[in-house]
């Protein structure tokens, strides 16, 4: 992320996602509800949109889409 110039946008991302995925890369449902994970990711996207000078609404629909397709 840092080499792409995006490091500032994702401060704390690793800490927020720590333990969400197992060593095999599979989402760890026993550690966090999927709906809570999707909500957290949408908040991160809203932060990135705000930092880029866009409206937070740029991330609207992410949570609904994810829950409809992957829940």
């Amino acid at each position: 992320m840092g080499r792409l110039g995006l490091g500032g946008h994702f401060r704390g991302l690793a800490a927020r996602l720590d333990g969400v995925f197992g060593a095999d890369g599979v989402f760890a449902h026993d550690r966090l509800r999927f709906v809570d994970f999707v909500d957290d990711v949408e908040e991160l996207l809203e932060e990135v949109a705000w930092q880029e000078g866009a409206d937070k609404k740029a991330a609207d629909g992410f949570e609904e889409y994810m829950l409809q397709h992957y829940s």
Side-chain angles (χ1 to χ4, degrees):
M1 294 286 185
R3 284 183 280 163
L4 295 173
L6 300 172
H9 296 298
F10 298 99
R11 279 183 237 128
L13 178 61
R16 288 184 181 185
L17 298 180
D18 187 37
V20 173
F21 295 93
D24 57 1
V26 176
F27 182 78
H29 292 274
D30 60 330
R31 297 181 198 153
L32 179 69
R33 294 181 330 149
F34 185 70
V35 278
D36 294 334
F37 170 72
V38 171
D39 185 52
D40 289 347
V41 172
E42 184 176 58
E43 287 178 21
L44 288 170
L45 292 173
E46 288 174 351
E47 287 177 25
V48 170
W50 178 78
Q51 289 174 2
E52 288 295 315
D55 191 340
K56 285 185 176 184
K57 292 181 182 179
D60 280 353
F62 172 80
E63 184 173 8
E64 182 180 340
Y65 176 86
M66 292 299 290
L67 294 178
Q68 286 178 352
H69 289 86
Y70 300 105
S71 176

